[in-house]
Amino acid sequence: MAKSEVKLLGAWPSPYVMRAQIALNLKAVEYEFLEETFGSKSQLLLQSNPVYKKIPVLIHADKPICESLVIVQYIDDVWTSGPSILPSDPYDRAIHRFWAAYVDEKFFPTMRGIAAAQGEEARKALVEQVGEGLALLEEAFDKCSKGKAFFGGDRIGFLDIAFGCFLGWLRATEKMNGVKLLDEAKTPGLVKWADRFCADGAVKGVMPETEKLMEFAKVLMAKMRGAPPK
Amino acid sequence: MADEVVLLDFWPSMFGMRVRVALAEKGIKYESKEDDLWNKSDLLLKMNPVHKKIPVLIHNGKPVCESLIIVQYIDEVWNDKSPLLPSDPYHRAHAKFWADFVDQKVYGPARKLWAINGEEQEAAKKDFLEIYKTLERELGDKPYFGGEKFGLVDIALITFYSWFYVYETFGKFNMETECPKIIAWAKRCMQKESVAKSLPDQKKIYESVLDLRKIRGLE
């Protein structure tokens, strides 16, 4: 497939964009990455995703696909010669989808709230909630991995991608707020899984460095407060 | 091997209704267990410890949670008849996108139409109608959201139709005037037995909401 046949509209700090990139890498699909400028939306983005006007957008043979988890499933459906991303068993698929939805609706919003927390009490409460979420995900990891390396088994699968994409921001959040979220004592399975995930060939090149994310977060917060960035 | 299928449900829930429709589309026999949301059953708490919500489909003892995940599960397991998703990957993605849109966007404003009074309710009315007009544009002149065939997006959205009398009464608007194509589509869906027998009567839902509003001190 010609490289220009597959385009991905995205931005390097976005964990949602990373999901699409990991999926494309797993399938060894060549694609053109079109970086959106932070703070403005390109004509192509507005045209391709008029409903949400958000990245990522996958454009395959001029047809747009939006919403990161929809994109990952689409990639799995189209490039069938590559390794499967979703489990083959319908029940396992439902479990992966359930936890992916949990990560999107409950886990990540709580984690993201830590940086914006007003005061120590509020921050502690959110950190505790994230801890509870991680305990649930540790249990899910035990059940899904069945002793293997990933939620998907021997190889990275749907839930690995859905959850793993947030690891960069999780580490940045830990450093910027002086908190420990992923704790070997509490969630040993997830700690080891996180290292394996970040080291995987499909992930390594697209997971941003923690330091870069921290810099970006500072710029973002300054912009939101109205102060000029340094 | 006989399949054992149990649905933990709550009769006015538009999410529970989605599963009823999917099970009916596939002709699956199941046991329905009505849960009391103010006094949740041990079974519900055991089967959905994370969210403690209905619907939960229990298939041969194993729980599946979240209505649209359940509908896709049903489609994948009972794949011998009435496909709820298209086979083409692009059309599948399109269907999942719009089903997800319904899931993310409709419930919030819809609930505010009857659960609260005042300014926030007015704002919710605006949002609600805007969202439905977006959906109406997406439907266009197709018989169903999926085209010729009734599918996932239709299932995701049609269940809100049973609440339309509630929304219209408290929101003070008329859906036939605001979104005529949506009403035509809804009536078309209601012609299907799987839908008609899964959705409670609009007046019954209205009466239960009146009771709820009294409890909340809104009447």
Side-chain angles (χ1 to χ4, degrees):
Chain A
M1 182 142 301
K3 198 173 180 184
S4 58
E5 276 265 313
V6 185
K7 295 182 170 74
L8 181 67
L9 301 186
W12 69 266
S14 164
Y16 303 103
V17 170
M18 203 191 312
R19 289 170 168 175
Q21 289 174 295
I22 295 171
L24 289 165
N25 290 348
L26 282 169
K27 301 283 193 177
V29 175
E30 291 222 336
Y31 63 98
E32 191 183 348
F33 188 72
L34 298 170
E35 181 95 29
E36 285 286 309
T37 311
F38 181 69
S40 76
K41 294 178 198 256
S42 71
Q43 264 306 103
L44 184 58
L45 175 60
L46 298 175
Q47 267 177 312
S48 318
N49 191 357
V51 175
Y52 294 117
K53 307 177 177 56
K54 282 183 175 177
I55 46 141
V57 179
L58 185 77
I59 306 178
H60 182 204
D62 293 324
K63 292 191 293 197
I65 298 103
C66 309
E67 290 298 283
S68 62
L69 295 181
V70 174
I71 293 173
V72 172
Q73 290 179 85
Y74 174 80
I75 290 168
D76 201 31
D77 277 347
V78 171
W79 284 278
T80 50
S81 57
S84 282
I85 294 175
L86 266 121
S88 48
D89 175 72
Y91 190 76
D92 293 336
R93 289 159 85 97
I95 296 297
H96 274 234
R97 285 175 176 145
F98 174 86
W99 288 109
Y102 173 81
V103 165
D104 270 355
E105 283 154 35
K106 297 258 153 78
F107 183 76
F108 185 56
T110 309
M111 192 185 93
R112 209 173 38 199
I114 292 174
Q118 306 282 3
E120 199 44 48
E121 281 293 307
R123 195 193 311 280
K124 268 181 88 176
L126 288 171
V127 169
E128 216 179 286
Q129 272 180 56
V130 168
E132 281 162 14
L134 286 170
L136 288 174
L137 287 159
E138 172 88 2
E139 218 184 295
F141 178 72
D142 270 336
K143 290 202 182 118
C144 292
S145 66
K146 303 187 182 72
K148 297 199 175 162
F150 299 105
F151 285 91
D154 288 318
R155 268 192 307 251
I156 283 180
F158 186 71
L159 184 50
D160 299 281
I161 296 174
F163 178 30
C165 68
F166 292 114
L167 287 169
W169 278 107
L170 187 148
R171 287 168 173 163
T173 302
E174 286 180 325
K175 280 196 159 166
M176 290 188 300
N177 298 282
V179 295
K180 192 163 189 163
L181 298 173
L182 261 182
D183 191 338
E184 312 78 63
K186 298 184 182 156
T187 56
L190 286 183
V191 169
K192 292 196 199 84
W193 162 82
D195 285 339
R196 283 194 293 267
F197 180 82
C198 294
D200 189 275
V203 177
K204 231 169 25 183
V206 296
M207 175 73 76
E209 287 161 32
T210 310
E211 301 300 326
K212 275 191 90 182
L213 285 175
M214 286 166 69
E215 262 313 301
F216 176 78
K218 288 195 188 106
V219 170
L220 193 62
M221 283 193 281
K223 274 206 170 132
M224 293 198 319
R225 289 194 199 113
K230 268 194 171 167
Chain B
M1 184 187 78
D3 269 318
E4 198 198 55
V5 183
V6 177
L7 176 63
L8 301 185
D9 202 351
F10 179 52
W11 71 270
S13 162
M14 60 284 274
F15 304 104
M17 286 173 219
R18 289 168 170 177
V19 182
R20 287 174 230 164
V21 174
L23 289 166
E25 278 288 298
K26 300 284 189 175
I28 297 163
K29 286 197 168 57
Y30 67 98
E31 184 192 351
S32 181
K33 284 197 160 124
E34 186 75 6
D35 226 285
D36 176 359
L37 294 195
W38 290 274
N39 191 14
K40 296 186 181 186
S41 69
D42 285 340
L43 183 60
L44 174 59
L45 299 176
K46 188 174 157 209
M47 293 286 130
N48 191 357
V50 176
H51 300 301
K52 305 175 175 61
K53 283 182 175 176
I54 58 96
V56 181
L57 188 80
I58 311 171
H59 184 206
N60 296 330
K62 296 199 292 189
V64 184
C65 307
E66 297 294 289
S67 61
L68 292 184
I69 293 177
I70 298 171
V71 171
Q72 287 180 78
Y73 174 80
I74 289 168
D75 197 39
E76 287 168 14
V77 172
W78 287 276
N79 56 12
D80 52 336
K81 70 180 268 209
S82 305
L84 303 175
L85 274 158
S87 48
D88 169 73
Y90 182 73
H91 292 126
R92 289 169 79 83
H94 195 80
K96 285 179 184 176
F97 173 87
W98 283 102
D100 179 71
F101 176 86
V102 172
D103 238 12
Q104 282 191 51
K105 297 285 189 179
V106 180
Y107 184 71
R111 192 176 171 277
K112 286 185 180 169
L113 288 175
W114 64 267
I116 59 174
N117 286 336
E119 262 181 41
E120 239 192 293
Q121 190 211 29
E122 266 308 302
K125 175 178 164 182
K126 222 176 138 250
D127 285 341
F128 180 90
L129 290 172
E130 221 177 275
I131 287 157
Y132 263 94
K133 286 180 175 158
T134 301
L135 287 162
E136 198 175 45
R137 277 194 299 274
E138 168 55 27
L139 176 67
D141 292 313
K142 304 194 294 275
Y144 299 108
F145 278 90
E148 294 301 312
K149 283 202 193 139
F150 180 81
L152 183 71
V153 184
D154 304 285
I155 294 177
L157 187 61
I158 190 56
T159 60
F160 287 94
Y161 179 69
S162 62
W163 281 72
F164 273 16
Y165 187 71
V166 169
Y167 302 148
E168 289 173 315
T169 305
F170 294 109
K172 299 192 180 58
F173 58 85
N174 182 280
M175 275 305 269
E176 180 104 48
T177 311
E178 299 284 346
C179 301
K181 283 187 173 161
I182 290 285
I183 294 296
W185 159 83
K187 289 183 175 160
R188 189 175 302 121
C189 293
M190 288 296 284
Q191 299 271 338
K192 293 175 69 67
E193 197 190 334
S194 61
V195 177
K197 74 179 196 185
S198 303
L199 269 56
D201 181 70
Q202 289 190 359
K203 290 277 164 68
K204 269 192 89 184
I205 303 243
Y206 174 71
E207 274 152 33
S208 75
V209 167
L210 280 179
D211 289 337
L212 262 179
R213 278 174 59 96
K214 279 198 189 99
I215 294 170
R216 290 170 74 95
L218 290 164
E219 293 290 322

